[in-house]
Amino acid sequence: MLKVSNDLGGWVISAALFLATMAWWPGLIAGHLPKWMVLYAFCLALPFLKFQWDAVTASVLLFLGWLCLSVLWSEDQRQSLHQLHKILPLAACFFAGRVYGLKPVIRVAGLCVAGVLVFELTFGWFGSFGNENFATEYVVLLLPLLWFGSNSEHRWVRIAHLALLGASIAYLMYLPSRIEFIAFYGLFLWLLWTHVRSAAVFAAAVPVVTLFVVPEAWDVVSGSALARLELWWNTGHMVLEHPLLGQGFGSFNYHYPRFGAEHLALFDRVEVQIGHHAGAAHNDYLQLWAETGLVGLGLAGLCLWVIFSRSVPSVILILGAVMCAIGFPAQMPVTGALLAYALGSCCPLSFWRTAGWDLKNGGGMSRSEAPTLSWWRNRQTRYN
């Protein structure tokens, strides 16, 4: 019975990711609402999750509780509540990742990429995402899953995944966004530091790669660089106003016009129109600090410390972490759900067996038992 439930849950996750990828309605910016609706349906359809009280669960619930609490001092509580509702499907994806692992998303990654490409060829609209940056971020996150899929035991599956991997790279080159160059550069730095950790090699390799990566990316990114710097500058001033508790979760767009006006008074020009809906700070970390303060930022850091004290971040998370510094993929429905799910898969329940709330070594496990990078490689390959 348990195996049937696990199989059903895995297929629910696979179906939800594909349907959320393809959900779109004409006239809705980037198709966000239909995608969120699919994720909500996923929350209702997902079989009962194994919920384990351990250090990971405690730290995540503490962080989510602070997000809810910060709504109390938001000056636009209606908008804050509107943003807060998105936490439910993202939290469900995180806890589902702990139970089911990456296999359900690896299984459907090829179908998701194929769906994006077919949608682009048929309707345009950047593969149902309505924005070249959103489409780029999602396809970049799917690339590692396609690579894992190419290690299948079935030859036709391997060939299909490798073909889609090549098609995805070609599609990224076709899109006007060049966020993928920055994401891959960040991944390169992480891999270099993790596997080499030689100051001489690091100092030699970084400038060489920079000569190839940065010029190509800068040609396109330069058009929005000033706008991003302006957003970060004004968000930094928003942080300074309430550095400890923040402005309240989901209140960024309510407060930004005020800081935009102050920016205009100082610099006599703005890249982002004051009356324009800024949308996001284009830096998820800075926006989290502005909305939830140092307390919220610290609790988010606590969650990551507990999780990665006994595991290593996956390639998906490294790519997502880099893109979160120049955009807001964590706030988008499908990319945010995929990142939350990948984060949950880094702390599977089987590695967090602990009695009570012992926080030693992240939940009672000795560091020698932690899942290593080689363990993840073996786990994410040769799946049926």
Side-chain angles (χ1 to χ4, degrees):
M1 183 68 180
L2 181 60
K3 185 179 186 302
V4 172
S5 177
N6 285 341
D7 290 343
L8 176 60
W11 283 107
V12 168
I13 292 166
S14 300
L17 181 61
F18 175 72
L19 293 175
T21 300
M22 301 306 298
W24 174 76
W25 191 263
L28 294 179
I29 299 176
H32 290 173
L33 182 58
K35 296 181 187 298
W36 282 117
M37 291 174 65
V38 171
L39 293 177
Y40 268 107
F42 153 74
C43 295
L44 297 175
L46 191 67
F48 182 75
L49 292 174
K50 302 173 189 175
F51 197 73
Q52 180 170 295
W53 287 104
D54 54 20
V56 174
T57 300
S59 60
V60 169
L61 291 182
L62 189 62
F63 171 65
L64 297 180
W66 178 256
L67 297 186
C68 296
L69 186 64
S70 69
V71 173
L72 295 178
W73 53 83
S74 171
E75 294 185 28
D76 187 3
Q77 293 185 345
R78 184 171 63 177
Q79 179 62 24
S80 294
L81 290 173
H82 176 70
Q83 297 299 322
L84 190 64
H85 80 85
K86 301 175 182 177
I87 297 300
L88 176 61
L90 297 184
C93 289
F94 172 80
F95 287 109
R98 297 196 69 190
V99 176
Y100 299 103
L102 279 180
K103 182 177 178 179
V105 292
I106 294 175
R107 178 169 53 205
V108 78
L111 195 58
C112 290
V113 168
V116 170
L117 296 177
V118 170
F119 196 103
E120 177 70 35
L121 293 173
T122 307
F123 303 105
W125 270 84
F126 300 105
S128 83
F129 286 87
N131 180 284
E132 65 269 24
N133 292 331
F134 301 159
T136 297
E137 290 165 350
Y138 182 57
V139 174
V140 165
L141 293 181
L142 290 178
L143 293 180
L145 298 177
L146 292 174
W147 177 253
F148 294 146
S150 68
N151 289 278
S152 170
E153 295 178 347
H154 305 289
R155 182 180 179 184
W156 69 271
V157 176
R158 295 198 300 269
I159 294 174
H161 278 82
L162 288 174
L164 287 169
L165 184 63
S168 299
I169 295 173
Y171 180 58
L172 290 174
M173 295 298 100
Y174 160 76
L175 290 172
S177 175
R178 285 297 176 264
I179 289 177
E180 68 273 15
F181 282 91
I182 299 173
F184 293 147
Y185 185 57
L187 176 63
F188 163 77
L189 295 180
W190 179 77
L191 291 173
L192 189 64
W193 179 253
T194 301
H195 296 285
V196 179
R197 295 199 176 186
S198 168
V201 175
F202 198 79
V206 171
V208 171
V209 176
T210 301
L211 292 175
F212 291 96
V213 174
V214 173
E216 176 67 22
W218 181 252
D219 287 342
V220 178
V221 174
S222 59
S224 62
L226 292 178
R228 292 175 191 272
L229 290 173
E230 180 183 303
L231 284 165
W232 298 343
W233 173 279
N234 295 338
T235 306
H237 281 268
M238 193 184 301
V239 167
L240 293 176
E241 189 173 69
H242 295 288
L244 184 61
L245 301 181
Q247 304 283 358
F249 182 72
S251 62
F252 173 83
N253 281 301
Y254 175 81
H255 289 283
Y256 186 82
R258 176 161 55 91
F259 292 94
E262 294 177 0
H263 180 99
L264 181 61
L266 289 173
F267 295 98
D268 293 331
R269 60 169 293 178
V270 291
E271 297 293 327
V272 180
Q273 297 179 11
I274 297 175
H276 181 67
H277 181 70
H282 288 68
N283 184 309
D284 281 331
Y285 313 110
L286 193 58
Q287 184 169 339
L288 181 66
W289 188 359
E291 293 184 344
T292 65
L294 275 174
V295 177
L297 200 63
L299 290 175
L302 174 64
C303 294
L304 297 178
W305 177 82
V306 170
I307 292 172
F308 296 122
S309 63
R310 292 173 300 160
S311 65
V312 294
S314 63
V315 173
I316 299 174
L317 293 177
I318 298 301
L319 292 171
V322 175
M323 292 188 292
C324 282
I326 57 173
F328 46 102
Q331 301 179 48
M332 295 293 99
V334 187
T335 49
L338 188 55
L339 287 173
Y341 190 91
L343 183 61
S345 70
C346 283
C347 50
L349 293 182
S350 58
F351 280 93
W352 262 257
R353 297 192 185 97
T354 175
W357 290 43
D358 184 11
L359 293 177
K360 182 179 180 181
N361 287 332
M365 177 188 292
S366 65
R367 201 173 278 274
S368 61
E369 296 174 285
T372 61
L373 189 59
S374 61
W375 182 89
W376 282 111
R377 288 198 193 101
N378 293 332
R379 184 171 186 263
Q380 293 167 344
T381 57
R382 293 296 173 187
Y383 72 98
N384 291 319

